[in-house]
Amino acid sequence: MIELIGSLFILAGAVFLFSAGLGLLRMPDAYTRIQAGTKATTLGNMLVLAGLAFYHPGWIFKLILVIYFVLMTNPVSSHALSRAAYRIRTPMTSATMADALAEDDAGGDGAPPEGSARGGPPGERTGR
Amino acid sequence: MAEILIQIAAVLIFFAILFAIIRLVLGKTLVDRIVAVDTLTVISLSLIALYAHVSGRFVYIDVALVYGLLSFLAVLALARFLERGL
Amino acid sequence: MLELLLLLVCASILISGLLAICLENLLPAMVSSGLASLFAAVSFLLLAAPDVAMAEAAIGSGLATFIFLYAIRKTDGGKTDGATVGGNTDGRRPDPGQAAGDETGHGSSARGKPDKARGGA
């Protein structure tokens, strides 16, 4: 019975990993691909490792270590990557509705709000 | 029953790796390729853990840990290089 | 099933290695070569050699990526190569922030070939 629960966890995690790969293939934009490729793999990896913890109770310390590590590092790398993608002006898809970071930069620096889609030149604010 | 479910999970992970490889090959921008590599690393980490269960060896989890750590550092260095030139 | 996964991993090594050769921009080629070494680590693990896999993951992914990044920064980001060959198919344009970062590093050290290429262009 406990093996069945563990295998169900592993299957759910594999479904999330599969959806991450599918979203990576089908999303229209670099930013949405970052979303699909990072969040879904974090949850999928956690579910797979939790399912393995049902099978092998002796491995549970190291599995929790791996889960903690992925849970801490994967959002950090996705955040840094999306910020770098914004800074080097990776093109967005045409369906993008709002650009909150450009508005934030324009408002925060006291610059007059212009009609342009992006804020000022990114080279000036690399010190943050 | 449980073994069949694990085999279905392995097939799903197989297709996830395949889709991410396709995105790596035909991704237009650099960020697409970097995020494909990041996704492939986490998927392979799950694959390594699953293979550790299948083969029944505890040592393979250590490889997964080293794998995740190094890829995280590589992606972070790449993002920092893109943002402000290292 | 294990043979199928091993086949997929070996095909991934082949694909990413070919991609590392064929791409003309240097940064995606570096990313692809790092992916090739990562999949080499997985294939070592599937062939029951976890210590070799650990060394390969540490050296191939971590150390080689840092050394390649340092080399690309030292050689002006591969920008002169891309300008002469015309390998701009990757959509990464020299933006103002990157150019400013390069300019600050440019005057500090004496550099032969990029200066000549930039002067010629």
Side-chain angles (χ1 to χ4, degrees):
Chain A
M1 187 58 202
I2 194 117
E3 292 186 354
L4 192 61
I5 294 174
S7 63
L8 280 177
F9 266 86
I10 290 174
L11 185 62
V15 167
F16 274 104
L17 291 179
F18 175 75
S19 72
L22 196 62
L24 206 62
L25 188 60
R26 292 288 297 163
M27 283 288 180
D29 194 2
Y31 305 97
T32 47
R33 279 172 200 147
I34 290 172
Q35 281 281 338
T38 313
K39 272 73 182 175
T41 50
T42 307
L43 183 58
N45 195 13
M46 283 171 58
L47 284 176
V48 167
L49 293 177
L52 287 187
F54 278 100
Y55 270 95
H56 305 276
W59 297 6
I60 200 162
F61 173 69
K62 198 153 280 185
L63 288 176
I64 283 176
L65 199 63
V66 177
I67 285 176
Y68 175 76
F69 198 74
V70 170
L71 192 62
M72 286 300 121
T73 59
N74 217 350
V76 173
S77 70
S78 114
H79 170 75
L81 189 58
S82 54
R83 194 174 179 85
Y86 187 82
R87 288 292 182 232
I88 67 170
R89 295 167 184 248
T90 305
M92 296 182 184
T93 179
S94 59
T96 305
M97 296 294 288
D99 191 354
L101 188 53
E103 297 167 6
D104 206 13
D105 283 347
D109 284 357
E114 301 172 12
S116 62
R118 296 293 174 85
E124 297 177 357
R125 275 185 291 274
T126 54
R128 276 193 216 165
Chain B
M1 185 64 191
E3 286 81 10
I4 295 175
L5 287 181
I6 283 179
Q7 286 196 0
I8 293 172
V11 170
L12 284 177
I13 289 176
F14 180 91
F15 278 106
I17 290 178
L18 197 63
F19 289 158
I21 286 284
I22 291 172
R23 172 48 65 199
L24 178 83
V25 170
L26 44 90
K28 277 199 280 292
T29 65
L30 172 63
V31 182
D32 288 336
R33 291 198 165 102
I34 296 176
V35 77
V37 169
D38 194 14
T39 307
L40 274 173
T41 306
V42 184
I43 292 173
S44 329
L45 206 147
S46 299
L47 180 66
I48 287 172
L50 199 60
Y51 184 65
H53 161 66
V54 169
S55 72
R57 288 186 169 184
F58 179 54
V59 193
Y60 291 173
I61 303 290
D62 294 341
V63 184
L65 198 59
V66 174
Y67 207 77
L69 171 65
L70 268 303
S71 163
F72 162 68
L73 286 182
V75 170
L76 211 61
L78 265 168
R80 193 167 179 276
F81 176 77
L82 285 182
E83 191 168 353
R84 63 187 84 159
L86 204 64
Chain C
M1 191 185 69
L2 181 61
E3 288 81 9
L4 205 62
L5 272 177
L6 189 57
L7 202 65
L8 177 70
V9 166
C10 291
S12 306
I13 295 173
L14 200 60
I15 288 171
S16 50
L18 276 177
L19 207 63
I21 294 174
C22 293
L23 286 176
E24 289 180 351
N25 205 343
L26 285 183
L27 276 169
M30 186 194 71
V31 170
S32 297
S33 79
L35 185 74
S37 76
L38 277 176
F39 272 113
V42 178
S43 81
F44 287 152
L45 191 103
L46 291 182
L47 294 172
D51 42 357
V52 187
M54 215 179 292
E56 175 70 31
I59 294 172
S61 171
L63 196 60
T65 304
F66 284 133
I67 289 176
F68 278 145
L69 265 180
Y70 191 66
I72 285 176
R73 187 177 71 99
K74 279 292 186 186
T75 58
D76 207 6
K79 208 174 293 175
T80 58
D81 195 7
T84 53
V85 178
N88 295 327
T89 61
D90 219 84
R92 180 171 176 266
R93 299 303 307 147
D95 53 294
Q98 186 73 31
D102 282 340
E103 283 303 321
T104 55
H106 203 73
S108 62
S109 66
R111 203 178 280 125
K113 191 166 172 293
D115 282 335
K116 198 162 52 183
R118 180 169 292 177

